[in-house]
Amino acid sequence: MTTASYPSDSPHPSGSPSPADSPHPSYPEDLERPGLVRTGRSTFVRPIRPEDADRLVEFVGTLSRATLAYRSLGPVVRARDDVIRRGAHVDYLNELALVALAGDEIAGLVRYVRDPEEPEHAEVTFTIRDDHQSEGFGRLLLEHIAAAARARGIRVLEADVLADNARMINVFLGSGYRTEAGPPGQIIHFEIAVDPQAQAVARAERREQTAVRRSLKPLLEPRSVAVIGANRDPLTIGHEIVANLLRGGFAGRVFPVNPRAEQIAGARAYASVRDLPEPPDLALVAVRAEAVPGVVRECAEAGVKAVVVVSTGFGETGAEGRAGELELARFARASGMRLVGPNCMGVVNTTPSARLAATFSPALPTPGRVAMSSQSGPLGLAVLDYARRLRLGFSGFVSVGHAVDVSTDELLQWWEEDPGTSVILLHVETFGDPRRFARVARRIAPRKPIVAVHPGHADSAVDSLFAQSGVIRTRSLQELFDVALLLAHQPPPPGNRVAVITNAGGPAALTVGACAASGLCVPALGERTRQTLRPVLAPHAEVSNPIDLTPTATAAHYRQALDAALADDGIDAAVVLFMPPLADKPDEVASAILDAAAARPDKPVLASFLGGAGVADLLHRGDLVVPTYTFPEAAATSLGHAAAYQSWRSTPAGVVPDLAGVDTERARSLIASRAPGPVPAAVVAELLAAYGIAVRGDAPGPGSHAGPDAFLTVRADPVFGPVVAFGLTGDYADLMADVAHRVTPLSDRDAREMVRSLRVTPLLDGRAGGPGVDLAALEETVLRISAMVEDHPEIEALDLRPVRLLPPGDGVAVAHATIRLTDSTAAGGSS
């Protein structure tokens, strides 16, 4: 599947260096990326290197006459070896070639050469080895070359295709990019606009999701498993993995691998992977760190599809160990394997049709509807043990360790379509690709809650990423599981209004305070509810919320009070407190709570039986579970998270709007004419004007307009990309730290929530007195800034300060602005 003539025959653009003139071009490591083709096969995509010259000759030598004819657009002409070798020398700017690797061989190659007459155009050619032409390499390479070209100022890729080259034509037409095709004939000329169109992004996401799920199937639903480093000693990791697989109900074949054993945990052992009777889908590696690369290579040669490296001694040891694990991941990808780890504790799947306990954990989870990804191996041991004690069941658990290949966002895509998973938990220490994580999480969160714990306590970028994506961020593992316990067994509340039912006043007061701190309210009960409750309470007792049943309350009292509270249209959830020392028969009270919860399944019920041992067992009845907490504050915090999540889910999804008055080409030409560094004030004004933002040096000064002064800034975060910050100038930001952050690209919903998320919002919307400010104009300015930095990744920093906030209808006035540029290729754009 190819287009155009062999690219190394093309002349270099005039004015650009040839490979001979540029002996040390800057190799773009940012373009080295793992990839998945449509079939789920793993590959590694990277720029071509001079040392690939012989590999390139071998690649061309494998091509059939039909493929060569498509490449040459006519009669087959084999290029000389020296001409082919020159194709391995590019300058990575005006000429760029990317290769997709299958093992040590090239499976596919894409190349562009910039047009010297139209520098924003480039000729692109694709060549896919015959045995890989139906797997989706062409579409994958198009996505990669389009992103790389876009980052290098190329806006249109041009290709000539023979009319009967149906595969390549379908790649272009099905890409989602805007394409223009010439008139039908023997050769069709395509022009592909590589600006990221919504349709192209959507199709790329669908292709990615399909490929990810197919690639993870051998990992999470293998038909056979090998354990390399299996040991006869029951106290070793290798032995425990084999034992767990066998006693965990795995239906496939288990192959312990140990050259000095005949049998391990009752299963026949084999000397090496090469001696196995069949290539296993999955291999777990538990050997010394220095032996891991050789073992992984043996797995690749044997046809293993997925590898889990539980061994330690890699990235946690320093830079050398980190380099070793990254090389391990590159090799696995290029060999068509997926890799989990290193330094992990394995994989668990409790699905009845695919039971898998590929872990050394002594505590295996009970089946349930919660899935979890953890980036810490040792932590995973504690997690599974704690989950069993909570009676929190898991559908799946993956300890990704250092996550050099299989990532959190890929596991999200697996559990997205898993009918047995309803809640997803994440322990996240680092992000591989935060923007992809946000895109995937935002797609999943409206249907399945995602709850995450991240070790950073004051990380505005992480908070922003989670907030935009609908991810519930918790501050501790305890809080993570408290929230999971609620969402796994009860619905999110339709609102934030809570009824508190108690037999002791002190715990009720603590609960009310915790509710207020969690964004919940404890409102007055409706008149009908009060009338219903008066006979239940002590004579002359005041009916209020909290509903105090007094220490003499019986199970019947609890049932009547909870029924009445849940029937109140002004109540969205109930927290039930019970002090066992003050009343007898907690089992009867628990049964009454379960009966009331079953009668109103649309409103969540939570319980706290303070000091009661074994209460969690009492509040389980088949599939009906009322989550119980040792202390009521935990119940309130969990309910607050669930209410905020439901509010996010109920708000219409935002869109990235098309903005009027944007001149992208003008801005592009201005940026292209500037060197990296600060941009002169006059050029800054022109750049902002191209996006409909006027810089007015004569903007009204402080005290001459209705609102306070604000600032809008953008900083290129090395992990998250452009991060927009908004706040009021002066003490508001400096002393109160009242600043809102969001990660681009921003939707209209993101902009609206951002400018209204400050603690001083009542000052802006008029609730604090006065007319307020033009929030609509402020939101539009935020959206224009977001569009600008997304369109031009060369913008490293942007600062609008001060921004005069004017009365409603008068807009905003930018009094001063600065912009700093970075090198265009260093700015990336390969995601």
Side-chain angles (χ1 to χ4, degrees):
M1 182 171 64
T2 62
T3 67
S5 59
Y6 197 73
S8 59
D9 295 331
S10 304
H12 284 267
S14 59
S16 65
S18 69
D21 299 329
S22 181
H24 302 292
S26 178
Y27 178 80
E29 291 187 2
D30 63 296
L31 297 184
E32 290 189 346
R33 296 229 165 198
L36 292 171
V37 296
R38 176 180 51 80
T39 60
R41 178 191 173 91
S42 179
T43 185
F44 191 74
V45 179
R46 63 166 173 82
I48 203 165
R49 303 167 180 159
E51 56 266 32
D52 291 322
D54 289 339
R55 186 180 284 115
L56 195 57
V57 172
E58 294 172 5
F59 168 68
V60 175
T62 67
L63 303 179
S64 67
R65 292 180 62 85
T67 296
L68 287 170
Y70 283 140
R71 185 196 72 190
S72 304
L73 299 178
V76 174
V77 178
R78 289 194 177 271
R80 301 192 314 271
D81 287 356
D82 61 327
V83 173
I84 296 173
R85 285 191 176 91
R86 287 206 300 271
H89 297 265
V90 296
D91 62 13
Y92 303 115
L93 179 62
N94 296 308
E95 182 179 7
L96 174 66
L98 303 177
V99 293
L101 300 178
D104 291 330
E105 299 178 332
I106 298 173
L109 179 145
V110 61
R111 182 188 307 261
Y112 78 64
V113 178
R114 194 188 300 264
D115 188 330
E117 303 299 328
E118 294 183 83
E120 292 191 350
H121 287 235
E123 178 191 9
V124 66
T125 59
F126 294 76
T127 308
I128 311 299
R129 209 171 70 187
D130 290 71
D131 54 342
H132 292 293
Q133 287 185 4
S134 61
E135 297 182 21
F137 276 92
R139 190 156 293 171
L140 175 69
L141 287 172
L142 174 58
E143 292 171 10
H144 281 256
I145 200 70
R150 191 163 58 241
R152 286 155 178 77
I154 293 169
R155 304 300 156 189
V156 177
L157 294 174
E158 299 186 26
D160 290 325
V161 189
L162 287 177
D164 63 347
N165 190 351
R167 284 197 179 113
M168 198 70 243
I169 292 172
N170 288 335
V171 165
F172 291 151
L173 295 180
S175 67
Y177 291 109
R178 288 183 291 112
T179 60
E180 293 185 7
Q186 185 178 1
I187 296 176
I188 301 175
H189 181 76
F190 279 93
E191 293 192 357
I192 306 112
V194 298
D195 284 333
Q197 301 295 308
Q199 187 180 41
V201 172
R203 291 187 181 181
E205 286 184 4
R206 286 196 297 271
R207 186 200 65 78
E208 175 190 73
Q209 185 181 10
T210 299
V212 164
R213 289 188 57 78
R214 288 175 176 170
S215 77
L216 294 183
K217 191 174 180 64
L219 171 70
L220 297 169
E221 295 181 354
R223 294 165 297 180
S224 54
V225 181
V227 182
I228 304 164
N231 199 297
R232 287 173 291 191
D233 185 350
L235 299 179
T236 60
I237 288 176
H239 182 278
E240 287 306 297
I241 294 173
V242 176
N244 277 341
L245 281 165
L246 295 174
R247 66 173 172 248
F250 179 61
R253 301 185 67 180
V254 178
F255 303 121
V257 176
N258 185 323
R260 292 179 295 278
E262 294 183 359
Q263 192 178 74
I264 294 175
R268 177 189 171 184
Y270 296 83
S272 74
V273 180
R274 301 185 190 93
D275 299 322
L276 299 180
E278 64 183 61
D281 282 345
L282 173 64
L284 284 98
V285 179
V287 300
R288 298 184 316 276
E290 58 268 24
V292 169
V295 168
V296 172
R297 183 170 289 277
E298 286 185 13
C299 289
E301 293 169 351
V304 175
K305 297 181 179 66
V307 178
V308 175
V309 179
V310 302
S311 309
T312 60
F314 288 90
E316 74 276 13
T317 65
E320 185 176 347
R322 179 62 178 169
E325 67 186 16
L326 291 177
E327 183 56 39
L328 199 66
R330 291 189 189 98
F331 173 80
R333 279 286 197 167
S335 300
M337 295 190 301
R338 301 309 311 271
L339 185 146
V340 171
N343 192 16
C344 71
M345 57 168 288
V347 178
V348 175
N349 188 349
T350 68
T351 303
S353 61
R355 290 190 183 277
L356 176 70
T359 176
F360 56 87
S361 172
L364 296 180
T366 56
R369 302 192 64 79
V370 176
M372 182 173 183
S373 165
S374 172
Q375 280 191 303
S376 170
L379 184 64
L381 296 172
V383 161
L384 292 181
D385 179 65
Y386 184 61
R388 283 189 69 89
R389 288 190 279 119
L390 281 181
R391 293 191 60 173
L392 184 65
F394 278 75
S395 59
F397 180 90
V398 179
S399 170
V400 295
H402 294 168
V404 293
D405 178 28
V406 172
S407 60
T408 299
D409 55 80
E410 290 180 309
L411 292 171
L412 282 175
Q413 293 181 78
W414 175 270
W415 289 320
E416 176 182 10
E417 301 299 330
D418 178 19
T421 298
S422 59
V423 180
I424 302 172
L425 307 184
L426 305 177
H427 166 249
V428 184
E429 293 180 351
T430 59
F431 292 90
D433 187 340
R435 293 160 78 82
R436 184 169 68 170
F437 170 86
R439 189 179 71 240
V440 172
R442 190 179 298 202
R443 185 178 74 226
I444 297 172
R447 295 183 291 115
K448 297 184 179 183
I450 302 170
V451 191
V453 62
H454 185 276
H457 291 290
D459 193 331
S460 58
V462 174
D463 278 336
S464 302
L465 185 75
F466 286 165
Q468 288 175 257
S469 308
V471 175
I472 301 169
R473 183 180 185 182
T474 60
R475 301 293 174 173
S476 67
L477 284 169
Q478 178 72 59
E479 193 174 315
L480 177 86
F481 281 99
D482 286 344
V483 177
L485 199 60
L486 167 58
L487 293 174
H489 301 303
Q490 294 283 308
N496 69 341
R497 301 164 300 178
V498 183
V500 178
I501 301 171
T502 183
N503 64 348
L510 291 174
T511 306
V512 172
C515 284
S518 302
L520 304 170
C521 67
V522 182
L525 301 173
E527 178 58 31
R528 183 175 180 180
T529 305
R530 291 199 298 271
Q531 291 177 2
T532 303
L533 287 174
R534 282 193 178 98
V536 179
L537 301 179
H540 311 298
E542 182 182 352
V543 179
S544 60
N545 190 10
I547 304 170
D548 190 349
L549 300 177
T550 75
T552 62
T554 65
H557 292 139
Y558 269 94
R559 174 65 195 271
Q560 289 173 290
L562 188 52
D563 280 342
L566 294 176
D568 192 323
D569 291 338
I571 296 296
D572 301 306
V575 177
V576 183
L577 310 179
F578 178 71
M579 291 289 288
L582 301 180
D584 294 330
K585 301 179 179 178
D587 54 335
E588 294 183 5
V589 173
S591 181
I593 293 172
L594 287 169
D595 290 341
R600 288 303 302 258
D602 56 323
K603 294 183 179 181
V605 176
L606 296 78
S608 178
F609 278 37
L610 291 89
V615 174
D617 293 335
L618 298 179
L619 289 166
H620 283 66
R621 182 190 294 162
D623 292 334
L624 176 61
V625 177
V626 171
T628 182
Y629 302 87
T630 303
F631 298 108
E633 296 93 336
T637 300
S638 302
L639 193 57
H641 281 302
Y645 164 71
Q646 179 63 16
S647 175
W648 177 88
R649 188 167 69 168
S650 303
T651 304
V655 296
V656 178
D658 291 327
L659 299 167
V662 172
D663 190 345
T664 309
E665 298 304 318
R666 174 59 180 158
R668 187 175 295 127
S669 64
L670 288 168
I671 290 175
S673 66
R674 306 303 311 173
V679 177
V683 180
V684 169
E686 285 193 72
L687 276 171
L688 290 168
Y691 277 80
I693 300 171
V695 178
R696 294 171 48 192
D698 60 345
S704 61
H705 59 100
D709 286 345
F711 64 85
L712 277 168
T713 66
V714 179
R715 295 292 182 269
D717 186 277
V719 175
F720 295 94
V723 178
V724 182
F726 164 68
L728 302 188
T729 57
D731 291 346
Y732 296 106
D734 298 337
L735 299 182
M736 299 171 60
D738 195 13
V739 180
H741 297 82
R742 290 294 184 272
V743 178
T744 66
L746 271 64
S747 68
D748 53 359
R749 172 177 171 175
D750 295 328
R752 183 171 58 253
E753 292 176 349
M754 182 181 188
V755 303
R756 288 169 167 79
S757 65
L758 300 182
R759 293 194 294 276
V760 296
T761 296
L763 185 66
L764 304 180
D765 62 15
R767 284 179 291 163
V773 303
D774 196 336
L775 289 175
L778 180 58
E779 292 168 18
E780 184 177 330
T781 302
V782 170
L783 289 170
R784 290 181 181 277
I785 290 299
S786 172
M788 184 176 182
V789 297
E790 281 292 299
D791 289 345
H792 308 288
E794 302 91 340
I795 296 176
E796 183 179 47
L798 180 150
D799 197 326
L800 308 185
R801 188 192 307 259
V803 178
R804 313 289 192 202
L805 303 183
L806 306 178
D810 290 348
V812 298
V814 178
H816 185 259
T818 61
I819 290 176
R820 186 172 68 250
L821 301 179
T822 187
D823 179 75
S824 61
T825 56
S830 58
S831 60

Coordinates of all heavy atoms in Angstrom, one line a residue, residues 486 490-501 515 519-526 529 545 562-575 597 600-606 639-640 642-644 646-647 650:
L486 N -19.5 3.7 48.4 CA -20.8 4.3 48.1 C -21.2 4.0 46.6 O -22.3 3.5 46.4 CB -20.7 5.8 48.4 CG -21.9 6.7 47.8 CD1 -23.2 6.2 48.4 CD2 -21.6 8.1 48.2
Q490 N -24.6 2.2 45.8 CA -25.7 3.1 45.8 C -25.6 4.1 44.7 O -24.5 4.3 44.1 CB -25.7 3.9 47.2 CG -25.9 3.0 48.4 CD -27.4 2.7 48.6 OE1 -28.3 3.5 48.6 NE2 -27.7 1.4 48.8
P491 N -26.7 4.7 44.2 CA -26.7 5.6 43.1 C -26.1 7.0 43.6 O -26.2 7.3 44.8 CB -28.2 5.8 42.7 CG -28.9 5.5 44.0 CD -28.1 4.5 44.7
P492 N -25.5 7.8 42.7 CA -25.2 9.1 43.1 C -26.4 9.9 43.5 O -27.5 9.7 42.9 CB -24.5 9.7 41.9 CG -24.2 8.5 41.0 CD -25.2 7.5 41.3
P493 N -26.4 10.8 44.5 CA -27.6 11.5 44.8 C -28.0 12.5 43.7 O -27.2 13.1 43.1 CB -27.2 12.3 46.1 CG -25.7 12.5 45.9 CD -25.2 11.2 45.2
P494 N -29.3 12.7 43.5 CA -29.8 13.6 42.5 C -29.5 15.1 42.9 O -29.5 16.0 42.0 CB -31.3 13.4 42.4 CG -31.6 12.8 43.7 CD -30.4 12.0 44.2
G495 N -29.1 15.4 44.1 CA -28.8 16.7 44.6 C -27.9 16.7 45.8 O -27.4 15.6 46.1
N496 N -27.8 17.8 46.5 CA -26.9 17.9 47.6 C -27.6 18.0 49.0 O -27.0 18.4 50.0 CB -25.9 19.0 47.4 CG -26.6 20.4 47.6 OD1 -27.8 20.5 47.4 ND2 -25.8 21.4 47.8
R497 N -28.9 17.7 49.0 CA -29.7 17.9 50.2 C -29.8 16.6 51.0 O -30.2 15.5 50.5 CB -31.1 18.4 49.9 CG -31.1 19.7 49.1 CD -32.4 20.0 48.4 NE -32.8 19.0 47.5 CZ -33.9 19.0 46.8 NH1 -34.8 19.9 46.9 NH2 -34.2 18.0 45.9
V498 N -29.4 16.6 52.3 CA -29.2 15.4 53.0 C -30.1 15.4 54.3 O -30.1 16.4 55.0 CB -27.7 15.2 53.5 CG1 -27.5 13.9 54.2 CG2 -26.8 15.3 52.2
A499 N -30.7 14.3 54.6 CA -31.3 14.0 55.9 C -30.4 13.2 56.8 O -29.8 12.2 56.3 CB -32.7 13.3 55.7
V500 N -30.3 13.6 58.0 CA -29.5 12.9 59.0 C -30.4 12.3 60.0 O -31.2 13.1 60.7 CB -28.4 13.9 59.6 CG1 -27.6 13.1 60.7 CG2 -27.5 14.5 58.6
I501 N -30.3 11.0 60.2 CA -31.2 10.3 61.2 C -30.3 9.7 62.2 O -29.3 9.0 61.9 CB -32.0 9.2 60.5 CG1 -32.9 9.9 59.4 CG2 -32.9 8.5 61.5 CD1 -33.6 8.9 58.5
C515 N -21.0 17.6 56.4 CA -21.8 17.8 55.2 C -21.5 19.2 54.6 O -21.3 19.4 53.4 CB -23.3 17.7 55.5 SG -23.8 15.9 55.7
G519 N -19.8 20.4 50.7 CA -20.7 21.0 49.7 C -22.1 20.5 49.8 O -22.9 20.6 48.8
L520 N -22.5 19.9 50.9 CA -23.8 19.4 51.1 C -24.6 20.3 52.0 O -24.0 21.1 52.8 CB -23.8 18.0 51.7 CG -23.0 16.9 50.9 CD1 -22.9 15.6 51.7 CD2 -23.7 16.6 49.6
C521 N -25.9 20.2 52.0 CA -26.7 21.0 53.0 C -27.7 20.0 53.7 O -28.0 19.0 53.2 CB -27.4 22.1 52.3 SG -28.7 21.6 51.1
V522 N -28.0 20.4 54.9 CA -29.0 19.6 55.7 C -30.2 20.5 55.9 O -30.3 21.3 56.9 CB -28.4 19.2 57.1 CG1 -29.3 18.4 57.9 CG2 -27.1 18.4 56.8
P523 N -31.2 20.5 55.0 CA -32.2 21.5 55.0 C -33.4 21.1 55.9 O -33.4 20.0 56.4 CB -32.7 21.4 53.5 CG -32.5 20.0 53.1 CD -31.2 19.6 53.8
A524 N -34.3 22.0 56.1 CA -35.5 21.8 56.9 C -36.3 20.8 56.1 O -36.4 20.7 54.9 CB -36.2 23.0 57.1
L525 N -37.0 19.9 56.9 CA -37.9 18.9 56.3 C -39.2 19.6 55.8 O -39.7 20.6 56.4 CB -38.2 17.8 57.3 CG -37.0 17.1 57.9 CD1 -37.4 16.2 59.0 CD2 -36.3 16.3 56.8
G526 N -39.8 19.0 54.9 CA -41.1 19.5 54.4 C -42.2 19.3 55.4 O -42.1 18.4 56.3
T529 N -43.6 15.8 55.8 CA -42.6 14.9 56.4 C -42.7 15.1 57.9 O -42.6 14.1 58.7 CB -41.2 15.1 55.9 OG1 -41.2 15.0 54.5 CG2 -40.2 14.2 56.5
N545 N -34.3 18.6 61.2 CA -33.2 17.8 60.5 C -31.9 18.3 61.0 O -31.6 19.5 60.8 CB -33.3 18.1 59.0 CG -32.4 17.2 58.2 OD1 -31.8 16.2 58.7 ND2 -32.2 17.4 56.9
L562 N -36.7 6.9 58.2 CA -36.0 6.8 57.0 C -37.0 6.8 55.8 O -36.7 7.4 54.8 CB -35.1 5.6 56.9 CG -34.1 5.4 55.8 CD1 -33.3 6.7 55.6 CD2 -33.2 4.2 56.0
D563 N -38.1 6.1 55.9 CA -39.1 6.1 54.9 C -39.6 7.5 54.6 O -39.7 8.0 53.5 CB -40.3 5.2 55.3 CG -40.1 3.7 55.0 OD1 -39.1 3.4 54.3 OD2 -40.8 2.9 55.6
A564 N -39.9 8.2 55.7 CA -40.4 9.6 55.6 C -39.4 10.5 55.0 O -39.7 11.4 54.1 CB -40.8 10.1 57.0
A565 N -38.1 10.4 55.4 CA -37.1 11.3 54.9 C -36.9 11.1 53.4 O -36.8 12.0 52.6 CB -35.8 11.1 55.6
L566 N -36.8 9.8 52.9 CA -36.6 9.5 51.5 C -37.8 9.9 50.7 O -37.6 10.1 49.5 CB -36.2 8.0 51.4 CG -34.9 7.6 52.0 CD1 -34.7 6.0 51.9 CD2 -33.7 8.3 51.4
A567 N -39.0 9.9 51.3 CA -40.1 10.3 50.5 C -40.2 11.8 50.3 O -41.0 12.3 49.5 CB -41.4 9.8 51.2
D568 N -39.5 12.6 51.1 CA -39.5 14.0 51.0 C -38.8 14.5 49.7 O -37.7 14.2 49.4 CB -38.7 14.6 52.2 CG -38.9 16.1 52.4 OD1 -39.0 16.8 51.4 OD2 -39.0 16.5 53.6
D569 N -39.6 15.3 48.9 CA -39.0 15.8 47.6 C -37.8 16.7 47.8 O -37.1 17.0 46.9 CB -40.1 16.5 46.8 CG -41.2 15.5 46.3 OD1 -40.8 14.3 46.2 OD2 -42.3 15.9 46.1
G570 N -37.7 17.3 49.1 CA -36.6 18.2 49.3 C -35.4 17.5 49.9 O -34.4 18.2 50.3
I571 N -35.3 16.2 49.9 CA -34.2 15.4 50.4 C -33.7 14.5 49.2 O -34.5 13.8 48.5 CB -34.6 14.5 51.6 CG1 -35.0 15.4 52.7 CG2 -33.5 13.6 52.0 CD1 -33.9 16.3 53.3
D572 N -32.4 14.5 49.1 CA -31.7 13.7 48.0 C -31.0 12.5 48.5 O -30.7 11.6 47.7 CB -30.7 14.6 47.2 CG -31.4 15.8 46.6 OD1 -32.4 15.6 45.9 OD2 -30.9 16.9 46.9
A573 N -30.7 12.4 49.8 CA -29.9 11.3 50.3 C -30.1 11.3 51.8 O -30.5 12.3 52.4 CB -28.4 11.4 50.0
A574 N -29.7 10.2 52.4 CA -29.8 10.0 53.9 C -28.6 9.4 54.5 O -28.0 8.5 53.9 CB -31.1 9.2 54.3
V575 N -28.2 10.0 55.6 CA -27.1 9.4 56.4 C -27.7 8.9 57.8 O -28.3 9.8 58.5 CB -25.9 10.4 56.7 CG1 -24.9 9.8 57.6 CG2 -25.3 10.8 55.4
A597 N -34.1 1.4 52.3 CA -33.2 1.7 51.1 C -33.8 0.9 49.9 O -33.8 1.5 48.8 CB -31.8 1.3 51.4
R600 N -36.6 2.8 48.2 CA -36.3 4.0 47.4 C -34.9 3.9 46.8 O -34.0 4.5 47.2 CB -36.4 5.2 48.3 CG -37.8 5.6 48.7 CD -38.7 5.9 47.5 NE -38.2 6.9 46.7 CZ -38.6 8.2 46.7 NH1 -39.5 8.6 47.5 NH2 -38.1 9.1 45.8
P601 N -34.8 3.0 45.7 CA -33.5 2.8 45.1 C -32.9 4.0 44.4 O -31.7 3.9 44.0 CB -33.7 1.6 44.2 CG -35.2 1.7 43.8 CD -35.8 2.3 45.1
D602 N -33.7 5.1 44.2 CA -33.2 6.2 43.5 C -32.4 7.2 44.4 O -31.8 8.1 43.9 CB -34.3 7.0 42.8 CG -35.4 7.4 43.9 OD1 -35.7 6.6 44.8 OD2 -36.0 8.5 43.7
K603 N -32.5 7.0 45.7 CA -31.8 7.9 46.6 C -30.8 7.1 47.5 O -31.2 6.1 48.1 CB -32.8 8.7 47.5 CG -33.7 9.6 46.8 CD -34.6 10.4 47.7 CE -35.5 11.4 47.0 NZ -36.4 12.1 47.9
P604 N -29.5 7.6 47.6 CA -28.6 6.8 48.3 C -28.8 6.9 49.8 O -29.2 7.9 50.4 CB -27.2 7.4 47.9 CG -27.6 8.8 47.6 CD -28.9 8.7 47.0
V605 N -28.5 5.8 50.5 CA -28.5 5.7 52.0 C -27.2 5.2 52.4 O -26.6 4.2 51.9 CB -29.6 4.7 52.4 CG1 -29.6 4.6 54.0 CG2 -31.0 5.2 52.0
L606 N -26.6 6.0 53.4 CA -25.3 5.6 54.0 C -25.5 5.5 55.5 O -26.4 6.1 56.1 CB -24.3 6.7 53.7 CG -23.8 7.0 52.3 CD1 -24.9 7.8 51.5 CD2 -22.5 7.7 52.3
L639 N -20.3 11.2 50.3 CA -21.6 11.7 49.7 C -21.3 13.0 49.0 O -21.9 13.3 47.9 CB -22.6 11.8 50.8 CG -24.1 12.0 50.3 CD1 -24.5 10.9 49.4 CD2 -25.0 12.1 51.5
G640 N -20.5 13.9 49.5 CA -20.2 15.1 48.9 C -19.5 14.9 47.5 O -19.8 15.6 46.5
A642 N -19.8 12.2 45.6 CA -20.8 11.6 44.8 C -21.8 12.7 44.2 O -22.2 12.7 43.1 CB -21.6 10.5 45.5
A643 N -22.2 13.7 45.1 CA -23.1 14.7 44.7 C -22.4 15.6 43.6 O -23.1 16.0 42.7 CB -23.6 15.5 45.9
A644 N -21.2 16.0 43.9 CA -20.5 16.8 42.9 C -20.3 16.1 41.6 O -20.4 16.7 40.5 CB -19.1 17.2 43.5
Q646 N -22.4 13.8 40.4 CA -23.7 13.8 39.7 C -24.0 15.2 39.1 O -24.6 15.2 38.0 CB -24.8 13.4 40.7 CG -26.2 13.4 40.1 CD -26.3 12.3 39.0 OE1 -25.5 11.4 38.9 NE2 -27.4 12.5 38.2
S647 N -23.6 16.2 39.8 CA -23.8 17.6 39.2 C -23.0 17.7 37.9 O -23.5 18.3 36.9 CB -23.4 18.6 40.2 OG -23.5 19.9 39.7
S650 N -24.7 15.7 35.2 CA -26.0 16.3 34.8 C -25.9 17.5 33.9 O -26.9 18.0 33.3 CB -26.9 16.5 36.0 OG -27.0 15.4 36.8

